[in-house]
């Protein structure tokens, strides 16, 4: 049965497995090790790291990646990363070892067990879109096929539980299922109405979100945007989409937290088509009520809401193809890209003795990418993420909606494994204290990321919401020295000149991970975070005082 599962993973496009074993999972890990030539196995130090790494790898591939853990203590340690993957539509396959079916019947409480033996399954039902317990080898192939199709089609995590006494049971091969069917007439009716509304509108606008990336639809959406010739904005979660296309891109919409000119384009539209957009507070910068629902069409979660009515079961790719058909032969309007609208990322760091502000970090990294080449970026939650909004266009993975800390470093390791490239990790000191230790696994896995730590000795983002609180002050941890102990190279920088020199040295040394511990004065925050917090505070003020 283990062999059938591993074959199915490979057949469904899985490229690697991230894992941390335990006794209930050892039999399955033996099979993983035997198949490491087809499915490399990367082990990490803590299950949250396993979950975040697999999530980032899945985002990189635009397809499933695997997080394999042991029962109870392992899988329950990974609930938060998988919850984040569920919220942000990332297709992670969770495989958990489990007590043997025969063990379960002996009436003893088993180690790692919570309330009942299926407590873990119940918990994972809440954070995954499909689940299977492989306790019957006859049913297993169909169960595996169904769950892996759900993972791809919904781009969300799924859960597979493997009782340890069933791992070697004889089992038929898994036959992948064909894509779920949908009703062409419904898609056509929907596309007709959407097109009509776009052409009726005097200020039609396209807003593209995370599903466009997850389902690999960027090329088709770029073509649609060019043919329609209407302004296009991305959401926070969709940042970077279409950046390398000729589509008339105006920038990233973040509501009140974003740039006013992008806000005006989106909020004043009388025909707003949202493709694959998560309707979240972080995407709409608490400005949700400023977007008129009567004028919006939202295609997401395999359905399309047009004004106040819904077309169910309309897959995003089918809708986009139908819209492309309807504008076939329409030449892209001559003016093409509205070049002036895109913000110019900061560059040209002044390498002097001045203290470092978050915007200096964006400029320094943009300079580094200009001088060498852009690196894929993994960002954690905190001001590092808002600073990433000022970076030049490069692939970015970040918890832009679920907003959990701890994502950054393990995600960078996930990108290293999935891409074979060297990522840049941006992380706050608070978040680094949670999962930065995973850097200690770089040597055995052959990874050498560059990690920049925004060391403001503070939970600074929280301080902006509650300046009077005392508990947001953190001690200054010596991250650069700690990096040496974890097998990397550390740089402690306090001035802009130091920062420039450290980045150049780190970029040149690919032998091991490089950590740049950047001292930032408390209270120094990025412009985007300042706008974001201003928007939130403004929105939470009593009506009439906003
Ligand atoms: N715990 C986890 C796992 N994720 C969270 N997002 C939080 C708590 C709440 C939280 C923030 S921002 C923040 C916390 C604790 C402080 C982050 O500190 P650091 O990493 O040093 O970054 P910076 O100093 O740039 O803020 C959000 C609001 O939920
Ligand atoms: Mg901090």
């Amino acid at each position: 049965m283990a062999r059938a599962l591993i074959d199915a993973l490979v057949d469904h496009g899985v490229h690697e497995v991230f894992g941390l074993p335990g006794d209930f999972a050892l039999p399955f890990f033996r099979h993983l090790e035997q198949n490491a030539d087809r499915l490399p196995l990367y082990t990490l130090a803590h299950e949250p790291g396993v979950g975040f790494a697999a999530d980032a790898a899945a985002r990189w591939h635009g397809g499933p990646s695997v997080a394999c853990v042991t029962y109870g203590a392992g899988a329950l340690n990974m609930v938060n990363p998988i919850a984040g993957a569920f919220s942000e539509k990332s297709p992670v396959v969770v495989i958990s070892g489990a007590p043997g079916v025969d063990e379960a019947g002996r009436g003893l409480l088993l180690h790692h067990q919570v309330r009942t033996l299926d407590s873990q399954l119940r918990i994972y039902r809440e954070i995954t879109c499909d689940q299977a317990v492989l306790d019957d080898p006859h049913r297993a192939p169909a169960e595996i096929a169904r769950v892996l199709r759900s993972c791809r089609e919904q781009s969300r995590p799924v859960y597979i539980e493997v009782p340890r006494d069933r791992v070697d049971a004889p089992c038929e091969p898994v036959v992948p299922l064909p894509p779920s069917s949908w009703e062409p007439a419904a898609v056509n009716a929907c596309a007709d109405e959407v097109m009509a509304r776009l052409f009726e509108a005097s200020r039609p606008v396209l807003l593209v979100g995370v599903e466009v990336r997850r389902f690999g639809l960027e090329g088709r959406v770029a073509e649609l945007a060019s043919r329609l010739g209407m302004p296009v904005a991305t959401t926070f979660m969709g940042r970077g989409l279409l950046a390398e296309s000729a589509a008339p891109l105006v920038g990233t919409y973040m509501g009140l937290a974003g740039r006013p000119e992008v806000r005006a384009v989106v909020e004043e539209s009388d025909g707003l088509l949202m493709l694959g957009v998560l309707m979240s507070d972080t995407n709409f910068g608490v400005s949700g009520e400023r977007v008129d629902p009567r004028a919006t069409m939202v295609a997401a979660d395999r359905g399309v809401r047009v004004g106040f009515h819904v077309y169910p079961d309309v897959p995003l790719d089918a809708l986009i193809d139908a819209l492309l058909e309807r504008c076939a032969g329409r030449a892209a309007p001559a003016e093409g890209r509205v070049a002036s609208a895109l913000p110019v990322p900061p560059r040209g760091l002044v390498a002097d003795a001045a203290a470092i502000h978050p915007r200096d970090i964006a400029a320094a990294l943009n300079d580094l990418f200009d001088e060498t080449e852009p690196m894929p970026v993994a960002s954690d939650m905190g001001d590092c993420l808002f600073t990433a909004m000022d970076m030049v266009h490069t692939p970015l993975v970040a918890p832009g909606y679920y907003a959990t800390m701890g994502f950054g470093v393990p995600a960078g390791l996930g990108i290293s494994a999935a891409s074979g490239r060297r990522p840049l990790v941006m992380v706050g000191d608070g978040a680094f204290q949670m999962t930065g230790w995973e850097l200690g696994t770089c040597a055995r896995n052959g990874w050498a990321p560059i990690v920049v730590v925004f060391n403001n000795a503070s939970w600074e983002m929280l301080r902006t919401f509650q300046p009077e609180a005392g508990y947001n002050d953190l001690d200054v941890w010596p991250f650069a020295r700690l990096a040496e102990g974890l097998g990397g190279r550390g740089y402690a920088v306090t001035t802009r000149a130091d920062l420039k020199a450290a980045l150049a040295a780190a970029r040149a040394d690919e032998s091991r991970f490089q950590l740049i511990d950047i001292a930032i004065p408390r209270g120094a925050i990025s412009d985007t975070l300042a706008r974001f917090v201003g928007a939130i505070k403004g929105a939470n003020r009593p009506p009439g005082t906003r």
Side-chain angles (χ1 to χ4, degrees):
M1 191 170 75
R3 179 61 195 244
L5 176 53
I6 291 171
D7 291 350
L9 294 172
V10 173
D11 293 348
H12 284 76
V14 172
H15 300 269
E16 70 282 307
V17 174
F18 300 90
L20 203 163
D23 62 332
F24 287 121
L26 288 178
F28 186 68
F29 269 82
R30 184 173 5 91
H31 283 272
L32 283 177
E33 200 169 30
Q34 288 164 356
N35 287 276
D37 55 332
R38 297 190 295 151
L39 216 46
L41 168 63
Y42 301 102
T43 56
L44 288 126
H46 199 203
E47 285 84 3
V50 171
F52 288 132
D55 177 357
R59 294 178 196 217
W60 181 268
H61 293 305
S65 185
V66 173
C68 189
V69 291
T70 192
Y71 179 74
L76 299 182
N77 238 341
M78 205 167 63
V79 166
N80 183 51
I82 301 305
F86 184 94
S87 303
E88 298 187 0
K89 306 207 125 214
S90 182
V92 177
V93 179
V94 173
I95 298 179
S96 175
V101 176
D102 306 338
E103 288 172 79
R106 287 197 205 124
L108 282 176
L109 292 175
L110 299 176
H111 65 283
H112 295 338
Q113 176 185 341
V114 193
R115 189 187 292 271
T116 64
L117 276 171
D118 64 1
S119 297
Q120 176 171 305
L121 172 63
R122 279 207 289 258
I123 291 165
Y124 268 84
R125 278 213 182 99
E126 194 57 27
I127 57 175
T128 56
C129 67
D130 202 349
Q131 309 81 25
V133 176
L134 307 184
D135 51 11
D136 174 355
H138 303 294
R139 279 188 306 108
E143 294 271 294
I144 294 169
R146 188 201 70 243
V147 165
L148 293 181
R149 181 178 67 177
S150 302
C151 187
R152 289 198 76 85
E153 288 192 348
Q154 300 182 40
S155 186
R156 286 198 199 262
V158 292
Y159 175 79
I160 297 177
E161 189 171 299
V162 186
R164 63 178 168 180
D165 61 356
R166 291 291 183 271
V167 166
D168 296 313
C171 176
E172 292 301 314
V174 176
V175 180
L177 289 172
S180 305
S181 63
W182 40 272
E183 177 49 62
V187 172
N188 288 328
C190 177
D192 287 342
E193 183 175 1
V194 167
M195 262 326 203
R197 281 180 171 245
L198 287 176
F199 290 137
E200 272 156 29
S202 56
R203 294 178 306 285
V205 170
L206 222 48
L207 184 64
V208 293
V210 73
E211 284 191 3
V212 171
R213 175 174 289 135
R214 297 285 187 267
F215 293 120
L217 299 169
E218 196 170 353
R220 282 184 259 178
V221 170
E223 192 195 337
L224 179 67
S226 304
R227 286 185 184 284
L228 293 170
M230 50 189 73
V232 188
T234 73
T235 61
F236 190 34
M237 283 290 294
R239 187 177 182 288
L241 282 167
L242 307 184
E244 282 161 353
S245 77
L249 202 56
V250 296
T252 298
Y253 175 72
M254 292 175 68
L256 283 167
R259 295 178 20 259
E261 57 273 24
V262 180
R263 246 187 69 213
V265 168
V266 172
E267 292 171 9
E268 290 160 17
S269 169
D270 57 350
L272 178 61
L273 174 59
M274 303 193 205
L275 295 176
V277 170
L278 281 177
M279 302 299 287
S280 70
D281 57 355
T282 51
N283 269 344
F284 286 83
V286 293
S287 311
E289 79 275 8
R290 293 165 185 266
V291 174
D292 177 356
R294 288 162 305 178
T296 63
M297 298 160 269
V298 186
D301 272 329
R302 229 180 143 82
V304 184
R305 180 172 59 74
V306 179
F308 296 117
H309 59 278
V310 173
Y311 290 86
D313 207 19
V314 173
L316 187 61
D317 58 346
L319 175 69
I320 291 166
D321 289 345
L323 294 174
L324 276 170
E325 264 168 43
R326 282 157 181 72
C327 58
R330 248 180 86 87
E335 69 273 1
R337 172 194 285 273
V338 189
S340 62
L342 286 179
V344 180
R347 285 183 166 86
L349 176 77
V350 181
D352 58 13
I356 301 165
H357 184 283
R359 78 172 70 83
D360 296 322
I361 301 174
L365 293 171
N366 290 337
D367 292 346
L368 180 78
F369 288 177
D370 289 347
E371 285 145 21
T372 54
E373 58 160 6
M375 301 166 76
V377 173
S379 176
D380 212 298
M381 184 63 206
D383 200 13
C384 53
L385 179 51
F386 294 92
T387 302
M389 293 298 113
D390 291 331
M391 302 268 294
V392 295
H393 172 65
T394 188
L396 167 74
V397 294
Y401 159 44
Y402 183 70
T404 179
M405 292 161 66
F407 178 90
V409 167
L413 306 184
I415 296 291
S416 303
S419 70
R421 292 176 59 184
R422 192 178 192 202
L424 177 97
V425 175
M426 301 169 72
V427 55
D429 55 320
F432 190 98
Q433 292 171 11
M434 293 181 179
T435 56
W437 315 112
E438 290 294 353
L439 288 173
T441 70
C442 284
R444 73 169 179 254
N445 289 311
W447 299 323
I450 296 181
V451 180
V452 292
V453 182
F454 287 53
N455 194 353
N456 49 24
S458 159
W459 287 327
E460 195 61 36
M461 197 171 159
L462 294 188
R463 184 192 306 282
T464 56
F465 293 123
Q466 208 176 32
E468 67 287 358
Y471 45 68
N472 289 320
D473 295 354
L474 304 179
D475 301 318
V476 179
W477 289 29
F479 297 111
R481 276 212 319 276
L482 293 167
E484 304 283 343
L486 294 172
R489 182 165 172 207
Y491 310 78
V493 304
T494 55
T495 70
R496 301 197 293 189
D498 292 346
L499 175 59
K500 189 168 180 66
L503 281 170
R507 188 78 169 126
D509 180 354
E510 304 203 349
S511 66
R512 51 194 166 142
F513 79 80
Q514 310 282 304
L515 184 146
I516 302 173
D517 177 357
I518 307 174
I520 300 173
R522 285 189 183 142
I525 61 172
S526 69
D527 307 334
T528 308
L529 176 57
R531 274 201 307 267
F532 188 79
V533 173
I536 300 237
K537 285 186 171 173
N540 298 343
R541 266 209 304 279
T545 68
R546 295 191 187 149

